[in-house]
Each structure stands twice: as C-alpha cells, then as structure tokens.
Amino acid sequence: SLKAQTMDEMWDTRSSGKEHPNIQWFKDAKFGLFIHWGLYAKLAGEWKGKRYYGSGEWIMNQARIPVAEYKAVAQTFNPVKFNADEWAQLASDAGIKYMVITAKHHEGFAMYNSKVSDFNIVAATPYKKDPMKALAAATTKRGIQFGFYYSQFQDWYEPNGGRNTWDFEEGKKDYEKYYKEKAVPQLKELMTNYGPLGIVWFDTPGGMTKEQTQAFVDDLRKLQPKSLFSSRVGQGLGDYKDFGDSEVPSTPIKGAWESIYTHNDSWGYIKHDMNFKTPAEIIRLLANVASKGGNLMLNVGPDGEGRIPEYSAKFLRETGKWLDKNGESIYGSTYGLVPAQPWGVSTSKPGKQYLHVVNRPENGRLLVPGFNGTVSKVYSLIGKEALEFKTEGNDVWITLPEFESGSANTVFVMEYSGK
Ligand code: FHN
C-alpha cells in the first residue's frame, strides 16, 4: 500500500548505509550549477498580461493554465540565442564542478529529443534542435560533471501525472501507468543518449511503494552505475542528501549532501523579480555550506531566448574570480573544526583550518576559542603573509592585517598538529 512519506523520509539518503563507490568526486566538488530551463522561461512569470508571484517554473499551476493552452506555448518557444559552449564556459569560469539542468520539470515538457512524448523541444517547437545534447558535450569537455534534473512524480501535462494536476479528474490516477509510459522510459532515454551522467537529480518523489522505488532505482542504475542519484528519488535510496530548498544545516553534517539555492526568488526565469544575491553573498553562502561539510548547488534561470541573464552571469564570474584565488579553502575541504563565530566560519583539510573572515574584529585581534590542537603557524591564504598569534590555554588569538571586511570572505590559514 502507498504510505505517504514524510519530507525527511523522502529526502533521506542511503537506507543501505553504504556510500556509493563514486561519491568522492561529489564530496570534493563543493560548488555546482543548477539550471531551470523550460517553456516557463518564455512566460517569465506572466500569463495573459497578469503577473504571477513566486517561482516562474510554477506558472502553469499558479495560473491554472489548461493543458491544451499550455501546449500551445511550445509553438512559439524558439531559444535561438542558446549557445552550449557559452553556458559551459561560464560554468567553468565560475569554478563550477558539476551542472544539473532540468530535462523535464513539473510542466511535463521535455527539453530534449524524446521519442516517448511529442511534448518536447524537437517535436513541438520551431527550434527543432536538442540543446541537451550540445550542453552535455560542452560541459563534459570542460571537465565538469553533467547531470539531469527530472520531476519523476509531478507532471501536470499527464492525466496520471502525480501531484498538483488540475485539468484531469482527481482520484482516478493510475501512477503505475504514468511511470511505465512516461517517467521510466524518459529517464532511460536521458541515461542512454547523453553520455556519462555524474548525477540524476530527482524531484518530488511519490506514487510508489518502497519496493517499487527500489525496483525503479535498480532498473535505472543498470544504465549508468557510476551516476549519483539525489535523495529526492525517495525512500532513502539516494546517494547523497538534498536538504530542502534554500536550507543550510546549522551544524556540521558528515557524509555527502547538498544545499540548493537560487540566484533570486525563482528557479525558472522571471522578468520582474530583481531581488538578486550579490557575488559576496554567494561566496559567503558557499563558504557557510562548505563549513558544514556540504556542497552548494546554485541555480540560474535562462530566459526564453536561451540566454543566461547577464546579472546571473556577472555574479557567477565574480564567484569564479574569488575561487581562483581562494579555491584551496573550499574544493576538497570538509567541515570546519572551529564552530561558526561572529567573524565567520571555517573549513578543514588535514592539519589546516581555513578561517573565512567576513567581519574583521575592530581591533584586528581574532579569537579562535577552545581549539584542541597545537598551532604552528597562521598566514593569509593569498600572499602567505605570516601572522602573529598567541595561544592562551585552548584559545588562539590571531593578529589580523588590515583588510576591507563585510564583503566576500578573506581567508586565513591556521596550521596545527594533533586534534
Ligand atoms: O517544485 C520544485 C521547484 O519548482 C524547484 O524545481 C525546486 C528546486 O529544488 N524543487 C521543487 C520544490 O522543492
């Protein structure tokens, strides 16, 4: 019988307890790019002259657009400005190590050449090309892991498509039929035709028992045993844990996990909302997530023309510049041993604590309280300038140089032995 799972159960990970043999690249990666791109990008938060607040990719649901009308949007979706190399190069310049893009979101539209459903970018639009083919190649060529997002249970285009449909009679849904005729064959297309996938990112699981989900996962894993499945595959069968949207745990978490954020208040492109995070906020967020031991997957929403908006590209480039200089303190790190302080957070590598200072103490004296290790030296990560420090019991007092604080993190390295 179908038992509704709690959110925690749904998004928990590895009920088997064993880590995926290929998990280490993910743990080291720290910074991923999420891309939400679909027909909703063309509507951009507006329908029939009315603006809909909230996330752009939900407009079909928010405006209760009948399936037949929504289907017609595809007839004018023609993202001629899409350029896979530009997107992949931007990701590379941003210091991104993996990319996950929506192959099919809740709208049910396949952004790739699907033979399973003609509601797809090749068959249903004047564009007629498969952007995912080009993007997978351009991304992988740059040494960035490529992956697909797939909304496996919520599909508003399909009569049996799981949650939140409105254009069909409720209560008469045959989930098994939906999985058998759409979700599973489309996932198999994606896992067969686009080269090696670092990640298959599932969203909003449901409609299957634990046994059915296990069979679903086992069947798909045969196609690409190296791919990592996100925890939203459901039933604890993912390889790493996704926290809730825009959620960062308050304490360090062991194992492989990811926080997901979007660059503004929407995952899909919307033309109205300008509430964007600044590069400094992104960098502080990345360091905060890394200080707890996880990855940040940051989302951008390309527009209906196929462009990543310039303001999104700008903060990605700025973040990349910071990572060019400070990446040692992020990539391959684990959670910091110095709990979050008023001045900032820490990340760890063997024998090193990276102190990410956002708020420089007025008098330049930085306290690392209760540190259980013997500190041998402290220096600036950039420039390696040696800093004076004094240990009082387990407290370490560091004399900082002058620097402008309150923007992106300034990183100092504290080398130590024993702990
Ligand atoms: O409903 C979706 C939403 O549109 C977006 O894709 C997010 C991204 O994590 N996932 C679901 C809400 O959690």
Side-chain angles (χ1 to χ4, degrees), residues 59-267:
I59 189 158
M60 182 182 172
N61 180 288
Q62 289 164 326
R64 286 291 184 271
I65 304 172
V67 166
E69 282 188 51
Y70 196 81
K71 184 174 180 178
V73 174
Q75 291 160 16
T76 55
F77 183 70
N78 192 9
V80 291
K81 298 214 171 78
F82 169 73
N83 180 310
D85 277 309
E86 277 177 16
W87 288 20
Q89 191 52 49
L90 174 60
S92 176
D93 294 347
I96 290 292
K97 300 298 181 191
Y98 62 98
M99 179 195 289
V100 173
I101 186 164
T102 49
K104 185 209 77 168
H105 202 267
H106 310 332
E107 64 179 4
F109 182 73
M111 287 294 286
Y112 73 95
N113 184 14
S114 173
K115 299 291 179 251
V116 173
S117 157
D118 62 6
F119 192 44
N120 75 69
I121 191 165
V122 170
T125 78
Y127 187 64
K128 302 240 169 289
K129 287 179 282 185
D130 182 340
M132 298 301 128
K133 201 69 133 177
L135 188 60
T139 302
T140 310
K141 185 171 73 177
R142 289 168 171 80
I144 297 172
Q145 294 274 358
F146 182 74
F148 284 121
Y149 162 115
Y150 191 86
S151 173
Q152 78 269 26
F153 182 54
Q154 192 163 188
D155 186 317
W156 304 326
Y157 186 79
E158 302 295 335
N160 298 302
R163 278 203 191 86
N164 294 324
T165 53
W166 56 92
D167 217 6
F168 312 102
E169 263 179 84
E170 279 299 333
K172 292 195 165 63
K173 290 192 178 165
D174 181 344
Y175 297 149
E176 277 190 53
K177 180 174 167 54
Y178 159 71
Y179 272 107
K180 184 166 174 287
E181 292 179 2
K182 184 158 184 190
V184 172
Q186 283 200 326
L187 280 159
K188 289 190 169 178
E189 288 181 316
L190 293 165
M191 295 185 74
T192 305
N193 303 331
Y194 294 86
L197 301 182
I199 290 172
V200 183
W201 208 94
F202 296 89
D203 206 6
T204 56
M208 290 197 277
T209 62
K210 171 130 190 172
E211 295 68 30
Q212 288 171 320
T213 311
Q214 184 67 65
F216 168 81
V217 164
D218 294 347
D219 190 26
L220 292 174
R221 284 194 190 282
K222 286 179 200 139
L223 294 168
Q224 293 217 29
K226 285 191 166 183
S227 294
L228 301 179
F229 285 8
S230 79
S231 59
R232 293 187 191 179
V233 67
Q235 304 285 357
L237 298 177
D239 298 307
Y240 67 85
K241 180 179 179 76
D242 265 306
F243 279 86
D245 294 352
S246 307
E247 180 188 357
V248 180
S250 54
T251 55
I253 303 272
K254 290 199 167 91
W257 59 270
E258 180 183 66
S259 272
I260 41 182
Y261 266 80
T262 186
H263 59 336
N264 57 358
D265 297 336
S266 173
W267 302 88

Side-chain angles (χ1 to χ4, degrees), residues 214-328:
Q214 184 67 65
F216 168 81
V217 164
D218 294 347
D219 190 26
L220 292 174
R221 284 194 190 282
K222 286 179 200 139
L223 294 168
Q224 293 217 29
K226 285 191 166 183
S227 294
L228 301 179
F229 285 8
S230 79
S231 59
R232 293 187 191 179
V233 67
Q235 304 285 357
L237 298 177
D239 298 307
Y240 67 85
K241 180 179 179 76
D242 265 306
F243 279 86
D245 294 352
S246 307
E247 180 188 357
V248 180
S250 54
T251 55
I253 303 272
K254 290 199 167 91
W257 59 270
E258 180 183 66
S259 272
I260 41 182
Y261 266 80
T262 186
H263 59 336
N264 57 358
D265 297 336
S266 173
W267 302 88
Y269 176 73
I270 48 176
K271 59 182 132 182
H272 309 290
D273 180 35
M274 299 304 282
N275 176 26
F276 291 95
K277 295 170 185 67
T278 63
E281 282 172 311
I282 303 295
I283 292 159
R284 290 202 297 269
L285 175 63
L286 174 61
N288 183 26
V289 173
S291 77
K292 307 293 187 302
N295 295 0
L296 171 66
M297 184 160 73
L298 181 70
N299 177 79
V300 294
D303 65 19
E305 303 282 304
R307 292 169 302 195
I308 291 180
E310 188 40 41
Y311 37 73
S312 308
K314 182 179 174 303
F315 69 62
L316 284 172
R317 287 192 197 99
E318 293 290 315
T319 306
K321 282 188 203 132
W322 184 86
L323 282 164
D324 279 347
K325 297 194 184 87
N326 298 277
E328 175 191 329

